[in-house]
Amino acid sequence: MSTPANPLPVLGTPARKPEEEIRPLKAPVDPATLTHRQLLGGEFWRRIPAYADVTEEQFLDHNWQSKHTIMKPEKLLEAVHGLVSPEFIADCRVGFERAPMSVRVSPYMLSLVDWEHPYEDPLRIQFIPVGSRLLPDHPKLGLDSLHELEDSPVAGLTHRYPDKALFLPLDTCPVYCRFCTRSYAIGIDTEQVEKVHFKAKTERWQAAFKYISSRVELEDIVVSGGDAYNLRASQVSEIGEALLAMPNIRRIRFATKGPAVMPQKILTDHAWTDAITGIVEKGRKLHKEVVIHTHFNHPKEITEITARAMNLLFERGITVRNQSVLQRGVNDTVDVMKLLVKRLGHVNVHPYYVYVHDLVRGVEDLRTTLDTALTLEKHVRGATAGFNTPTFVVDAPGGGGKRDAHSFETYDRENGISVYTSPAVKQGQFYLYYDPLQLLSPNAQERWSIPAMQKQMVEAAIERAHDQVRPFR
Ligand SMILES: *Cc1c(COP(=O)(O)O)cnc(C)c1O
Ligand code: SF4
């Protein structure tokens, strides 16, 4: 080996070291610790007795997944019979009776649950309620906490922000999440909730399209639901074409939880995937952005099947962004959240938002404190690329829209009250978010049990916020 030529030292800086002498600033990394790259593969579903004989071809077939999706509590309990204790089964029965959401679980999801530890499993927690873990609702909680119905000029269309609107073409999803913000509408009626329904009907859509094209300021439409996975290919095209034809519309997002709960559809429902691709490509020619927004909450939801599906979308040039919901026992630790963010990046999905859990009925066990969100954000930012770092947001109860979690005017950690303003949506209004009572100190819980004290705490928080807000031009 030849000796490297001695570089001329610049005055005041030490001469550069020869190349072979790398300064060990960072300890070497064992590749085995890069767990975000280690995706579950193989025929993992065969662990479930009901799927023991299911071949890979069947499991990848979206028709097989849809046909075997479980929509009745009894069927679910049948499928896990022998895997869990009779006590757990009894606990689920109580959970189903009291849940605001109906049950809908895909075989893919069911196969990913660790049935040896069902109480702790992050997927079980999201989809299957158990009576013993349910907690009483916060006294400030209502069914449509985001006031989506109030901001609706047309059934199934929420126009809250100046230039963007939320269109709900249907009210079904490939699975039903316990924590759904739209439990007022999504899924079939339950013993607890009789829902507002948004059927996939072209006449209602026409009314929404008419409104959207009449509002020149609207540029950006979120096609949500429900779930775009449950639209037929022809309906995806119909909605996409109608919106792309409006000169005011520049951006469209199709929202679907599909990639997280049934990635098979992207791989084998060619008509649906081609319909989305067609709209994306047509949009590109018109210089309009059409993307997919999805909803992964836990790194375990991302398998080799997911990677194949996301690779297919990536090859077609389709941007996929992710919106997670922060949930207690699911993704409320630094390790899990970091792993989720890194693994999303690994499969070319951009982490966009992490929502602080909305004030939704019947799922108080899933909410956590704003402080948890702030702490997680601090640890996640810097762990990977900035564009793969999600913004932690609070969707302000009462219709204030999404706020950066850090942007509160005041946050009373002791009583769990944070106050936000939302000048771009509504001037001069305060929006309050409440931490779950069970995570507050015993003294604070005591205060919340007294109605007069509740009023006093809330008024004090608003007063402090008043003092905090300064006019800004
Ligand atoms: C979330 C949401 C949007 C989109 O908001 P972004 O912050 O741009 O993702 C639009 N309308 C409503 C009513 C929403 O809830
Ligand atoms: S996929 Fe979305 S809309 Fe459907 S139940 Fe889950 S959270 Fe609600």
Side-chain angles (χ1 to χ4, degrees):
M1 224 210 286
S2 65
T3 325
N6 230 354
L8 281 177
V10 180
L11 219 61
T13 41
R16 209 141 63 85
K17 298 200 171 197
E19 268 168 44
E20 57 265 35
E21 270 183 51
I22 297 173
R23 284 197 298 149
L25 287 177
K26 290 189 174 295
V29 170
D30 175 358
T33 61
L34 302 173
T35 48
H36 63 284
R37 300 178 192 167
Q38 295 155 17
L39 305 183
L40 179 65
E43 302 189 332
F44 54 85
W45 56 88
R46 290 190 189 250
R47 290 180 304 207
I48 307 292
Y51 310 145
D53 298 325
V54 174
T55 64
E56 182 174 17
E57 197 189 342
Q58 282 174 309
F59 198 73
L60 288 182
D61 178 358
H62 73 103
N63 282 320
W64 187 91
Q65 287 286 331
S66 300
K67 203 171 137 222
H68 291 86
T69 288
I70 295 173
M71 307 220 271
K72 290 214 170 74
E74 281 312 315
K75 291 269 178 220
L76 181 92
L77 299 178
E78 236 169 69
V80 299
H81 185 79
L83 288 171
V84 293
S85 66
E87 292 77 25
F88 180 79
I89 299 248
D91 208 355
C92 288
R93 284 217 169 85
V94 180
F96 292 137
E97 272 166 30
R98 292 171 49 190
M101 290 298 288
S102 38
V103 171
R104 192 158 180 167
V105 184
S106 62
Y108 175 74
M109 279 283 110
L110 195 84
S111 310
L112 289 176
V113 172
D114 173 6
W115 291 105
E116 280 177 32
H117 306 98
Y119 279 106
E120 291 77 36
D121 186 86
L123 303 187
R124 194 287 301 162
I125 294 174
Q126 295 180 66
F127 299 103
I128 303 164
V130 289
S132 63
R133 301 289 162 105
L134 296 179
L135 296 172
D137 285 341
H138 194 283
K140 292 285 174 187
L141 190 147
L143 189 56
D144 171 22
S145 90
L146 302 182
H147 290 205
E148 290 191 335
L149 292 172
E150 260 171 51
D151 281 340
S152 274
V154 176
L157 186 86
T158 302
H159 184 186
R160 164 169 309 144
Y161 299 98
D163 77 347
K164 54 192 178 185
L166 175 68
F167 173 41
L168 311 176
L170 79 174
D171 60 11
T172 62
C173 303
V175 295
Y176 291 132
C177 316
R178 287 182 53 212
F179 50 90
C180 184
T181 291
R182 275 178 217 127
S183 58
Y184 67 85
I186 304 301
I188 52 174
D189 295 348
T190 67
E191 287 187 35
Q192 298 297 320
V193 185
E194 198 178 315
K195 314 205 171 209
V196 183
H197 286 293
F198 301 130
K199 293 285 162 234
K201 276 218 304 264
T202 318
E203 301 89 80
R204 185 174 62 81
W205 295 359
Q206 292 308 332
F209 295 154
K210 199 169 155 206
Y211 176 85
I212 294 169
S213 61
S214 76
R215 301 299 306 216
V216 289
E217 74 276 29
L218 280 179
E219 298 179 354
D220 180 349
I221 302 298
V222 182
V223 181
S224 183
D227 193 300
Y229 244 43
N230 283 31
L231 293 169
R232 289 193 300 274
S234 61
Q235 294 175 317
V236 168
S237 305
E238 183 185 338
I239 294 170
E241 298 273 357
L243 294 173
L244 283 178
M246 298 176 195
N248 54 321
I249 297 307
R250 309 285 309 160
R251 296 174 288 282
I252 303 171
R253 332 173 197 176
F254 282 96
T256 170
K257 192 163 174 69
V261 296
M262 207 189 281
Q264 288 89 344
K265 185 175 172 92
I266 290 165
L267 296 170
T268 58
D269 188 349
H270 304 299
W272 190 89
T273 307
D274 289 349
I276 286 277
T277 309
I279 296 299
V280 171
E281 285 174 353
K282 184 157 189 181
R284 192 174 295 133
K285 292 209 177 75
L286 295 166
H287 309 146
K288 300 185 178 196
E289 185 193 67
V290 182
V291 303
I292 292 178
H293 275 211
T294 191
H295 179 181
F296 290 92
N297 288 325
H298 191 277
K300 236 172 82 162
E301 294 158 10
I302 303 171
T303 64
E304 277 183 8
I305 302 175
T306 324
R308 284 170 63 183
M310 295 303 99
N311 286 344
L312 186 147
L313 296 179
F314 191 73
E315 282 172 26
R316 293 185 177 197
I318 302 177
T319 298
V320 184
R321 303 192 189 110
N322 189 67
Q323 309 188 177
S324 299
V325 178
L326 177 59
Q327 293 162 83
R328 203 192 314 176
V330 173
N331 52 14
D332 62 341
T333 64
V334 169
D335 286 348
V336 170
M337 189 53 82
K338 269 189 1 200
L339 185 57
L340 173 63
V341 164
K342 294 268 289 184
R343 195 168 277 175
L344 285 168
H346 184 65
V347 296
N348 291 312
V349 174
H350 291 278
Y352 174 42
Y353 281 150
V354 174
Y355 287 92
V356 172
H357 201 301
D358 291 332
L359 290 146
V360 178
R361 246 195 224 172
V363 288
E364 204 60 358
D365 57 311
L366 292 179
R367 291 205 305 126
T368 181
T369 60
L370 173 63
D371 189 56
T372 306
L374 303 178
T375 305
L376 290 176
E377 201 276 347
K378 196 180 295 181
H379 283 86
V380 167
R381 187 161 296 278
T384 189
F387 55 77
N388 272 342
T389 304
T391 305
F392 286 67
V393 292
V394 174
D395 210 337
K402 297 169 191 73
R403 312 308 301 152
D404 183 325
H406 288 89
S407 71
F408 52 81
E409 305 299 340
T410 63
Y411 179 20
D412 170 1
R413 283 174 170 78
E414 166 65 15
N415 294 313
I417 307 175
S418 42
V419 183
Y420 290 87
T421 54
S422 188
V425 172
K426 231 173 233 163
Q427 288 277 357
Q429 185 122 346
F430 292 107
Y431 299 95
L432 282 75
Y433 182 81
Y434 302 95
D435 292 341
L437 299 187
Q438 299 78 15
L439 298 181
L440 303 180
S441 72
N443 279 344
Q445 295 192 30
E446 174 72 27
R447 281 192 288 277
W448 273 104
S449 68
I450 308 162
M453 287 298 285
Q454 292 178 12
K455 195 157 173 274
Q456 211 174 312
M457 289 185 288
V458 169
E459 280 168 4
I462 294 175
E463 199 165 312
R464 268 197 306 278
H466 251 295
D467 296 344
Q468 189 66 29
V469 181
R470 278 174 213 90
F472 187 82
R473 259 186 286 262

